[in-house]
Amino acid sequence: MAVQNHPQHHPRFRFPSLHRTGTAQAATDTTAVTTATRAYAFASLRLLTGFVFLWAFLDKTFGFGYATPSGKGWIDGGSPTKGFLSSVAAGPMESTFHDWAGAGWANWLFMLGLLGVGVALVAGVALRLAAVAGTAMMALMWIAEWPPAKHLSDGTLSMSSNPFVDYHLVYAVVIIALAAAGAGATWGLGKVWAKLPIVHDHNWLK
């Protein structure tokens, strides 16, 4: 009887590829670091922008001696809008802003806007509402300063350094970007705010 020897196949033990595993882990770590860095960057931008609005409200209310002289604050009887709006000297709404200057309703809307946007950004809540309110405020202030004008209504140079882009436009874009990025979760109350029943049912409140 012929006996045939068949080669025996033994299962091989293969070590996992350290190169592939290490590469995947490195990629995962890099993604995590990038995500965290982006979150911290947006949070920092949110807090700084929020402080701009909040400080403007506080200074105009109490007259800390920066943009608003001491004793000229809102609580002292001063008007947060009279000085700025009455000095508008260019643009299609010049006369309209002059009419609004110092009006009670204009003071209240302006100050509530500063306070609301400032608190929302600092706390990281209602960023979509803050984006709408903040953009509206910045748009009106942009029209009031009217960067396209080379000369004021009296013929003097306007000293505008750019015919379109100024800090009001930049602030508006920043607030919109913060809302779009959901920047309230890091260093803010965004996660807690989003879990509230009324906010959960109405996304525009986020």
Side-chain angles (χ1 to χ4, degrees):
M1 177 183 296
V3 179
Q4 296 180 350
N5 292 326
H6 297 282
Q8 295 181 353
H9 297 281
H10 298 284
R12 294 182 180 181
F13 176 78
R14 296 183 179 181
F15 288 96
S17 174
L18 297 179
H19 176 70
R20 292 181 179 178
T21 303
T23 301
Q25 183 63 41
T28 301
D29 293 344
T30 301
T31 300
V33 171
T34 301
T35 301
T37 302
R38 183 184 297 114
Y40 293 138
F42 272 113
S44 300
L45 182 61
R46 191 197 80 234
L47 291 172
L48 290 173
T49 307
F51 185 69
V52 170
F53 282 83
L54 194 56
W55 177 259
F57 169 80
L58 294 174
D59 185 52
K60 292 180 183 301
T61 299
F62 301 104
F64 289 144
Y66 288 84
T68 305
S70 179
K72 299 293 185 179
W74 197 22
I75 62 171
D76 300 312
S79 171
T81 63
K82 187 173 181 61
F84 176 67
L85 293 182
S86 61
S87 64
V88 173
M93 294 183 62
E94 179 181 350
S95 60
T96 301
F97 285 132
H98 290 171
D99 292 338
W100 291 358
W105 63 268
N107 291 335
W108 275 97
L109 283 180
F110 179 60
M111 295 299 282
L112 288 177
L114 289 177
L115 178 62
V117 174
V119 170
L121 291 177
V122 171
V125 301
L127 295 185
R128 294 181 181 180
L129 285 176
V132 173
T135 299
M137 291 180 63
M138 293 300 101
L140 286 172
M141 296 178 75
W142 184 90
I143 295 173
E145 294 200 357
W146 199 245
K150 294 181 179 180
H151 297 84
L152 301 179
S153 55
D154 61 0
T156 60
L157 291 175
S158 66
M159 304 305 292
S160 175
S161 60
N162 191 291
F164 179 65
V165 179
D166 76 341
Y167 65 97
H168 297 110
L169 182 61
V170 174
Y171 281 144
V173 173
V174 166
I175 300 172
I176 293 172
L178 292 173
T186 302
W187 297 341
L189 302 175
K191 291 182 179 179
V192 177
W193 176 261
K195 292 179 181 179
L196 295 178
I198 188 173
V199 178
H200 184 269
D201 295 336
H202 301 85
N203 287 331
W204 58 273
L205 290 175
K206 290 183 177 179

